[in-house]
Amino acid sequence: EVQLVESGGVVVRPGGSLRLSCVASGFTFYDYAMIWVRHSPEKGLEWVSLISWDASTTSYADSVKGRFTISRDNSKHSLYLQMTSLRTEDTALYFCAKDRYSFSYSWPDSWGRGTLVTVSP
Amino acid sequence: QSALTQPPSASGTPGQRVTISCSGNNSNIETHTINWYRHVPGTAPKLLIYSNNQRPSGVPDRFSGSKSGTSASLAISGLQSEDEADYYCVIWDASLSGWVFGGGTKLTVL
């Protein structure tokens, strides 16, 4: 069974930094692209970032480009999101998700339960 | 950049059939497949439809998807109270190398 467990969400001041983690199990982690998606009541679900199975390709939503960095450690079956220069509008529940098919970009089919990031003065 | 437009809300009574639309701002829907997710805030999103009209195993056949031109639709028949949730269409944007979500439609079962 696929399991994705996010952690690292806390309350942080605007301008602060934070690193989210996602530990994966139940599938061959290094064969799959992974993504971060966030949810806030104001914006709904919003794609944040993607990383390919071998970390050779990364991409970001315009709203986080230059501030967030996605990475992965395949030896630890772990996905990360380094968040800097945080803004109040980054407040959201952050999900990690696995792509449906290996070695491709198809669609996210398995999700974690999320970790809550609150950016507040 | 792609954008997907959904109505902010929809409603129906138990047993009814409701349809949620998703329209694109260019040829994105015409040239890419649409996926639909069900989301109850605070929980993990759930894939309902992939590749325009395919249901993952375990999703009831009350849920169906279709696409025509620059628009797509999710239909829910035999509406049940537990169908109350937010529904999102999603498409791959090659120029972004990422996914674009619609704004979401909040479904209320009256």
Side-chain angles (χ1 to χ4, degrees):
Chain A
E1 179 193 1
V2 172
Q3 284 200 325
L4 299 166
V5 181
E6 304 93 336
S7 63
V10 292
V11 178
V12 63
R13 297 270 193 259
S17 299
L18 198 55
R19 187 174 90 151
L20 305 183
S21 299
C22 171
V23 177
S25 61
F27 64 102
T28 308
F29 181 72
Y30 47 80
D31 285 354
Y32 291 85
M34 298 292 294
I35 74 169
W36 287 99
V37 172
R38 65 187 181 185
H39 176 265
S40 65
E42 299 77 21
K43 298 181 186 176
L45 289 173
E46 180 186 16
W47 170 73
V48 174
S49 183
L50 166 150
I51 187 166
S52 62
W53 44 94
D54 60 358
S56 63
T57 298
T58 60
S59 57
Y60 301 91
D62 288 345
S63 57
V64 306
K65 199 173 293 183
R67 300 187 299 122
F68 290 11
T69 302
I70 192 171
S71 62
R72 64 191 295 162
D73 185 335
N74 285 343
S75 68
K76 295 182 179 179
H77 289 203
S78 293
L79 174 72
Y80 306 103
L81 187 67
Q82 180 69 47
M83 311 164 70
T84 63
S85 302
L86 282 161
R87 306 167 180 168
T88 55
E89 54 264 36
D90 295 318
T91 295
L93 185 63
Y94 283 74
F95 298 98
C96 75
K98 161 194 166 291
D99 200 276
R100 173 62 180 89
Y101 293 114
S102 58
F103 308 114
S104 69
Y105 307 118
S106 45
W107 53 85
D109 76 330
S110 297
W111 302 68
R113 292 187 173 186
T115 186
L116 182 63
V117 173
T118 303
V119 185
S120 178
Chain B
Q1 185 170 331
S2 299
L4 299 175
T5 301
Q6 299 180 235
S9 64
S11 63
T13 56
Q16 267 192 331
R17 181 177 187 271
V18 297
T19 300
I20 297 172
S21 64
C22 174
S23 60
N25 66 342
N26 51 34
S27 62
N28 54 0
I29 291 185
E30 283 183 304
T31 56
H32 293 84
T33 60
I34 285 274
N35 306 310
W36 290 89
Y37 291 86
R38 175 183 183 274
H39 184 230
V40 176
T43 70
K46 177 183 177 181
L47 181 67
L48 281 181
I49 298 288
Y50 66 93
S51 295
N52 302 325
N53 54 19
Q54 302 299 301
R55 279 188 309 277
S57 61
V59 174
D61 59 6
R62 302 189 297 109
F63 295 88
S64 62
S66 63
K67 187 179 84 167
S68 178
T70 58
S71 293
S73 293
L74 172 71
I76 308 172
S77 59
L79 202 59
Q80 301 176 3
S81 57
E82 53 261 41
D83 294 332
E84 277 207 348
D86 299 325
Y87 292 83
Y88 293 85
C89 57
V90 183
I91 198 165
W92 173 258
D93 186 327
S95 65
L96 267 181
S97 291
W99 284 269
V100 175
F101 283 81
T105 298
K106 182 177 180 59
L107 177 62
T108 301
V109 180
L110 303 170

